[in-house]
Amino acid sequence: MSPLTVTELAAWTGFLRLHQRLARELDAELEQAHGLSLGDYDVLTQLESADGHRLRMADLADAVLLTRSGLTRLVDRLQHRGLVERVKCSSDQRGMHAQLTEEGLARLHAARPTHLAGVRRGFLDELSQDETRALADLWARLGA
Amino acid sequence: MSPLTVTELAAWTGFLRLHQRLARELDAELEQAHGLSLGDYDVLTQLESADGHRLRMADLADAVLLTRSGLTRLVDRLQHRGLVERVKCSSDQRGMHAQLTEEGLARLHAARPTHLAGVRRGFLDELSQDETRALADLWARLGA
DNA sequence: CCCTGGTAGTTGCGCGATCAACGACCTGCT
DNA sequence: AGCAGGTCGTTGATCGCGCAACTACCAGGG
């Protein structure tokens, strides 16, 4: 396996470093301002955009890239705080829906400006429109 | 705060999702093939490229974006496995160097092909040369 | 000289995530 | 009908990390 060129290395490690830095910054900011972790925010957002503000546990886990067990506990915490509730699935007795509550929606809306500002400040603001589109296309390609 | 455009959203979430997926894939692969986590590999690599294969704890922590406490324990584990050793700093009685051992270097070299193959397969192979350069430049700009 | 403010590294604690194992349930085949 | 194999969500155990507190040490000013 031939070594990476300097440019390749920079393209890869820059990706890693930026993610680590940004994830920590934005998480801290959101936690401090609204008591939500990035994971909380991610789950809430997925639920908001889902039909009826509810999602099957497994689908939600896939959407936020957590294991099922990781999601179980994250939903536990959100439920305990009243931001989400569990609803039995009618068509499958094993299944559960995670359902956004009124309060969950409100908290999400309250937190959104903070988070969007952070994402812009740390990421989008540095990108031209062309670059933004190029990145979006690139991630789509890499996801397939 | 105005909402994100679809493209902006894709540029951001794609970044997040790709990182989560890749980090998990590459970590599992490296763990299974060589018993090293990505964090282990990262530390070993930093030490390899450092002068005398050694680095002050604080500098190493900065290089791999861990807190000092996180690094202390990571080095604990590596030391326990004989891949790294701690050396007192001569110029500062508080200071410690993390120093790569022979075995640590060997393990790193053994693991490198696996890791490079994974990075290429999941990331670099999908990029044209121009894109690779553009990304490297972009990360550099975002780092400042 | 010492004393104050700051830095280096380690530690106790708590959190959040994974993995493996489990019970409950579904589905298709015989 | 009954069983085999797979899926859904949860749980117990464990791990790695950050935060805050701590000790040891450094450096500069009175």
Side-chain angles (χ1 to χ4, degrees):
Chain A
M1 181 64 46
S2 65
L4 263 41
T5 66
V6 175
T7 309
E8 285 176 322
L9 191 67
W12 173 242
T13 60
F15 174 72
L16 293 181
R17 296 291 179 251
L18 178 67
H19 179 275
Q20 285 175 300
R21 189 170 63 75
L22 238 44
R24 210 176 300 179
E25 266 180 38
L26 298 183
D27 188 73
E29 185 177 48
L30 206 56
E31 186 73 52
Q32 130 106 36
H34 297 96
L36 293 177
S37 70
L38 266 189
D40 297 340
Y41 184 91
D42 203 357
V43 161
L44 262 26
T45 302
Q46 293 298 328
L47 288 179
E48 185 199 22
S49 65
D51 225 48
H53 290 173
R54 62 169 57 187
L55 236 35
R56 284 291 291 268
M57 295 294 283
D59 294 336
L60 186 49
D62 289 349
V64 300
L65 288 195
L66 283 188
T67 25
R68 278 135 207 261
S69 103
L71 183 77
T72 290
R73 291 184 229 265
L74 179 42
V75 168
D76 283 349
R77 297 190 296 272
L78 291 174
Q79 182 172 22
H80 189 257
R81 294 196 283 162
L83 307 185
V84 146
E85 52 193 5
R86 280 180 164 87
V87 182
K88 273 196 128 74
C89 175
S90 54
S91 63
D92 185 337
Q93 291 304 101
R94 297 165 302 181
M96 295 293 271
H97 293 277
Q99 160 97 33
L100 201 52
T101 64
E102 280 303 316
E103 165 138 19
L105 193 59
R107 288 288 288 279
L108 177 60
H109 288 161
R112 176 157 290 146
T114 304
H115 182 61
L116 287 192
V119 171
R120 290 198 202 280
R121 192 185 64 243
F123 192 69
L124 295 172
D125 280 354
E126 300 295 330
L127 306 177
S128 71
Q129 226 164 342
D130 284 355
E131 287 174 322
T132 303
R133 165 143 301 286
L135 275 189
D137 293 348
L138 175 57
W139 304 144
R141 202 192 327 151
L142 278 156
Chain B
M1 181 63 48
S2 64
L4 299 182
T5 66
V6 175
T7 309
E8 285 177 321
L9 191 67
W12 173 243
T13 59
F15 173 72
L16 292 181
R17 296 291 180 249
L18 179 67
H19 179 275
Q20 286 175 302
R21 189 169 62 75
L22 237 44
R24 207 175 302 181
E25 265 180 39
L26 297 183
D27 188 73
E29 185 177 49
L30 207 56
E31 186 73 52
Q32 130 108 34
H34 298 96
L36 293 176
S37 71
L38 267 188
D40 298 339
Y41 185 91
D42 204 357
V43 163
L44 262 26
T45 302
Q46 293 297 328
L47 288 179
E48 185 199 23
S49 65
D51 226 47
H53 290 173
R54 63 169 56 188
L55 237 35
R56 284 293 289 269
M57 294 295 283
D59 295 336
L60 186 50
D62 289 349
V64 300
L65 289 196
L66 283 188
T67 50
R68 286 156 158 71
S69 103
L71 183 76
T72 290
R73 291 183 231 264
L74 179 42
V75 168
D76 282 349
R77 296 190 296 272
L78 291 174
Q79 183 172 21
H80 190 258
R81 294 197 280 161
L83 307 186
V84 146
E85 53 193 5
R86 279 181 165 86
V87 182
K88 273 195 127 74
C89 176
S90 54
S91 63
D92 185 338
Q93 290 304 102
R94 297 166 300 180
M96 295 293 272
H97 293 276
Q99 160 96 35
L100 201 51
T101 64
E102 281 302 317
E103 166 137 18
L105 193 58
R107 287 287 288 279
L108 177 60
H109 288 160
R112 175 157 291 145
T114 303
H115 183 62
L116 288 192
V119 171
R120 289 199 202 280
R121 191 186 62 242
F123 192 70
L124 296 172
D125 281 354
E126 300 294 329
L127 306 177
S128 71
Q129 227 164 343
D130 284 355
E131 288 174 322
T132 304
R133 166 144 298 290
L135 274 188
D137 292 348
L138 175 58
W139 305 143
R141 201 191 330 149
L142 278 156

